[in-house]
């Protein structure tokens, strides 16, 4: 993988009310300060009059020091354009925690990509409410933490507190729910706003909630799907990142749908995680803008 | 098209509780009576223990006269196997009424196929609540009937009565709602049980009801769909015949979704109509079994 | 359709070696001259170091008269940036000639969209080597011209000369081969460089040439496709505009593949024609850049 | 997984010239001998007049002992119907050898499914010409064998001999080339006729041979694909088992195509392997019949 060899870049994601000259100004600002732009993509939502942009430039020879860039941007554009922005550096790797339950397919898919060096990410821990997948974590040498949540949820607050403590210690920047099967509390969602990625095993908004393949089978659909989205307080209603589908037929049973769906789930989840790691997702109005 | 040149066949669709020997018996019955079987497909739903079959044989040299076949089947198998069956003849063409409103894309798609001889079907009439598409009917020389339904629906019963009269006169065997945009009354549904095909412009059961593309845009989905189904008393809840989908992105607006969706709608509707004309659909438990 | 109501715009497609500041300069030039930019999309091919852009602005209040814009662009940017550009006006409709042979599905699909006002295009004539589809042209009131090409092609040069004369008279700006089944001569291709759109009934480059569905069936593929491309001197080797595919199985015969493929062909061709009409295609290095 | 709990079955795959009564006779034979049929699917190729069938029945209470079933079938039907058949038992697991080179994505996908108990298969060994993926084999506790093939292939015969010896010792029943990147000799192909599954990283027959993603990028395709097929003596020309595709655009580079393609490759290969393990593939005339 050439990831390590690439020169460090700054990645800027921003949105603001659409106005003339934003692209000109920003590209001029970066160029005037010796920044070599390697990526630029922008999108204008003409219904809402909003401007969205992702721009990336090499830090080598850039005249403004890393830790001052944000200040400059704020001063120059923040208020004037009502601009909201997020600044990342390509050599500061995101740190991903994976939450799992009992099924291994998504976990293996994530870890195999990480191990092959496909992704510019660290995975400091795997968290679960069951011991079942410890062997997978062991295979890849990643610490595995188990807190059992009781059926009556009586210890849920306590468990989440312990989890939050771990996430903080491990400096986790985003969480992936790889078929975690538990509802995340509002407190944790608030701590990671639009930074918890879930995979739901249906083509949302069809079949919200439990046992979507059974629901799909009951309804007699001819296509099943999977949806990855950021977790928000409302169940299965957060901004959709990626979806995909697969043709099925009357010959399928709930069991065969579950099995076929596993392929969809892992691919759709991994595509979403990849986009997140690459800082190519902006959220706005409970939707995602995905840069290519 | 070779449709006309094919030898007439009998087409039998049946379902019954699964038991040993049904295939053997039926194929033996047909063969013993000099019927040359040209199609046989069967499916067993092991969850429900039901057997479904489509079998087709040439009528030439078949020893039992056409009008006696149904009697024989009833006597031999009806009660013994608790068998429900439908018998068709390939040279008795189904007669399709098309209901439209203002959009022409599905109508053109249906008529272009019919005109090209792709389908073994007659189209004795097109029915609408608007004059808008009369010119299309005229282009293809098909009688076009308009009954305006008032906004308050005060004349709806009356209109449907007139429509039912027409359908009877024209000996219509099934109805296609090609973006008709009106809800069909229970009386008409009862007169054509599982013989009214609708196209809904979403991936059902997501976005039931009005303005599904706007709903899809609001939800920020990454894929849109279309669904053809048999109309039942519950809105958009009848047996699904065919679905297909198309990838969209944050760049799409409600308007672009509507435009893109038109391609899905017409293809999905026409695929469903084709299967119906070929007598390759069985309905059971509010689902369809589609023979290949 | 809102097409007519939109304010007239200028559409500029350009490419040049990638350099800093091109976007800035161009947007500044347009804005400084009172042009309201309604579309901007750009793409950088980092392998070849090429910059591609599509920009569209309202002509109302634009300070430079229409017929001077091209001069200005040449003077300001042409040589300095080695820029190649194409300028269009949204109210100058492209004029499309359709060439057909005996199959109607693509023709109906094109005409139904045109008739419904989906496309901002004129269709002054349909050309064929057979009488078969005159009735379709008549249905839509479009002049239909037939020149029979002899089997030995002895009159082909003569026929193309007559066709070229017609295209000139009708001020045709681009040609659509809607399953025309004849090879276009180099002279006609040279007269319409990257302005003749063909639909090939396979997933190119698989199954170049004749009878691709039979070739596909022979090879036992599990998916069939269709490809629309600009015609160049080399058979089926021009820049690909759009492709799509469909799943098939061992149960398909050459005949069923032909029938299924018709749906692919018409949709894929119409998508390509739409992009061409919207001036959203740039060609470079025998490939297309398709703006969204 | 419920695989272990299912009652042992016999699985019979057969083909023969189509004749009346084959289904009747076979089902009667099985039923008369107390076999409970749990699966029956048949297909008639009307072009070639061939009949194909897969039938599965429970061995419990079946009157004919396992080791006599093949004799009975031969005697009763072999010659009379010119029937070719393959008999398997569900509790005799196929034994799969995986051949790899340096890329891990297909290998991980296969092993993760095996480890999760999705497949009724044994994996006694992994074979490679490089040490690179030994760590994956170690993670899953599977013996890993390396024989380096010299660049001039001077030791290839010797290596294959050693491999063949291993395959024999390990009682391997079929081989999966999980991006093995070496051409298999005719001798090994002859030893495993239609029992070596390869994944080719293109939509065959487009882009046969080396570097298909680069070929695809050069050609400017809008869709890429992957193809799993049985290996035959002619390169990339064996019976196709499964294919799938993915949309790409002008923005893709050879590198991004390679990365995107990996998802296709692993899914398409695993689907093919699954069908093979389930004994749901028949080959005929260099094509596959895939039972559902």
């Amino acid at each position: 993988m050439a990831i390590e060899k690439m020169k460090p870049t700054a990645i800027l994601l921003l949105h603001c009310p659409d106005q003339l000259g934003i692209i000109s100004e920003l590209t001029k600002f970066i160029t005037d300060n010796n920044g070599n732009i390697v990526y630029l993509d922008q999108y204008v939502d003409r219904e809402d009059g909003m401007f969205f942009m992702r721009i990336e430039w090499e830090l080598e020879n850039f005249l403004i020091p890393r830790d001052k860039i944000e200040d400059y941007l704020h001063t120059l554009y923040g208020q004037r354009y009502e601009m909201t922005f997020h600044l990342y550096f390509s050599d500061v790797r995101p740190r991903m925690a994976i939450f799992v339950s009992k099924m291994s397919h998504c976990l293996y898919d994530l870890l195999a990509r990480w191990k092959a060096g496909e992704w510019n990410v660290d995975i400091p821990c795997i968290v679960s409410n069951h011991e079942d997948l410890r062997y997978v974590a062991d295979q890849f040498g990643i610490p595995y933490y188990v807190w059992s949540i009781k059926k009556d949820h009586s210890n849920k607050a306590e468990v989440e507190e312990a989890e939050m403590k771990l996430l903080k210690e491990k400096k986790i920047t985003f969480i992936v729910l790889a078929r975690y099967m538990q509802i995340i509390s509002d407190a944790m969602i608030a701590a990671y706003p639009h930074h918890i990625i879930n995979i739901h095993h249906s083509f949302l908004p069809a079949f919200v909630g439990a046992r979507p393949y059974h629901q799909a089978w009951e309804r007699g659909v001819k296509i099943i799907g999977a949806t990855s989205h950021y977790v928000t307080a409302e169940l299965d209603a957060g901004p959709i990142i990626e979806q995909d589908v697969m043709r099925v037929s009357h010959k399928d049973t709930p069991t065969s749908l579950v099995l076929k769906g596993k392929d969809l789930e892992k691919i759709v989840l991994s595509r979403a995680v990849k986009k997140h790691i690459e800082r190519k997702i902006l959220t706005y109005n409970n939707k995602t803008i995905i840069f290519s």
Side-chain angles (χ1 to χ4, degrees), chain A residues 276-289:
Chain A
H276 186 93
I277 291 171
E278 296 174 345
R279 285 93 172 208
K280 289 195 166 168
I281 310 178
L282 260 175
T283 55
Y284 179 74
N285 259 358
N286 205 42
K287 299 184 199 176
T288 59
I289 286 97

Side-chain angles (χ1 to χ4, degrees), chain A residues 220-237:
Chain A
V221 295
K222 300 301 185 187
I223 285 175
I224 56 168
T227 304
S228 58
H229 63 95
Y230 286 121
V231 175
T232 56
E234 190 184 342
L235 182 66
D236 297 335

Side-chain angles (χ1 to χ4, degrees), chain A residues 45-277:
Chain A
D45 180 337
R46 300 201 185 278
E47 317 260 321
D48 286 347
M50 291 298 292
F51 175 83
F52 302 86
M53 188 169 179
R54 184 185 186 279
I55 187 162
E56 185 173 355
W57 67 95
E58 289 170 0
L59 288 164
E60 199 182 42
N61 302 324
F62 194 54
L63 296 177
I64 306 172
R66 279 182 188 226
D67 55 349
K68 299 284 184 199
I69 298 174
E70 200 147 351
D71 280 356
Y72 271 77
L73 291 168
H74 264 301
T75 308
L76 289 170
Y77 310 110
Q79 202 169 356
R80 188 166 136 224
Y81 288 118
E82 298 172 62
M83 195 181 282
T84 306
F85 53 80
H86 307 272
L87 182 69
Y88 305 97
F89 300 106
S90 67
D91 54 3
V92 179
R93 295 161 73 99
R95 295 172 67 80
M96 167 167 88
I98 307 175
F99 280 45
V100 296
S101 191
K102 294 185 173 180
M103 272 177 296
S104 62
H105 58 294
C106 289
L107 181 60
Y108 267 126
D109 203 70
L110 295 165
L111 296 181
R113 291 169 200 268
W114 168 76
K115 186 80 178 174
E118 277 183 33
W119 288 348
N120 193 23
V121 73
D122 290 324
I123 307 179
C125 60
I126 297 169
V127 174
S128 183
N129 53 335
H130 295 287
E131 283 292 338
D132 300 58
L133 299 182
R134 183 180 294 280
Y135 74 93
V136 183
D138 288 350
Q139 281 181 313
F140 289 84
I142 298 174
Y144 187 81
Y145 299 85
V146 173
W147 285 279
S148 290
I149 296 171
K150 290 181 184 159
K151 289 226 161 158
D152 64 0
H153 288 191
S154 61
N155 67 336
K156 187 156 182 180
E158 190 185 323
V159 163
E160 284 218 340
E161 204 175 320
E163 288 169 350
M164 292 283 278
K165 193 158 161 280
L166 175 74
L167 299 175
K168 209 173 166 187
E169 277 169 25
K170 298 282 190 180
K171 293 179 182 141
I172 295 305
T173 60
F174 77 108
I175 300 168
V176 174
L177 308 181
R179 301 297 315 277
Y180 177 50
M181 311 299 278
Q182 292 287 325
I183 291 178
I184 302 295
S185 76
D186 290 0
M188 195 179 280
I189 294 170
Y192 288 92
H194 290 183
H195 278 72
I196 304 175
I197 300 174
N198 185 40
I199 179 72
H200 184 75
H201 38 316
S202 86
F203 184 81
L204 286 177
F207 312 127
V208 165
R211 294 168 57 87
Y213 293 122
H214 285 76
Q215 294 183 53
W217 179 79
E218 283 290 343
R219 182 62 189 90
V221 295
K222 300 301 185 187
I223 285 175
I224 56 168
T227 304
S228 58
H229 63 95
Y230 286 121
V231 175
T232 56
E234 190 184 342
L235 182 66
D236 297 335
I240 292 171
I241 305 170
E242 169 69 353
Q243 301 187 290
D244 212 341
V245 298
M246 166 182 280
R247 209 162 262 281
V248 297
S249 83
H250 61 267
K251 295 187 184 176
D252 281 289
T253 59
T255 307
S256 74
L257 294 183
V258 166
L259 209 55
K260 288 182 176 179
K262 287 166 80 172
D263 280 5
L264 278 177
E265 294 160 23
K266 73 184 188 188
I267 296 293
V268 167
L269 178 60
S270 286
R271 282 191 204 141
V273 170
K274 180 177 194 287
K275 285 290 182 187
H276 186 93
I277 291 171

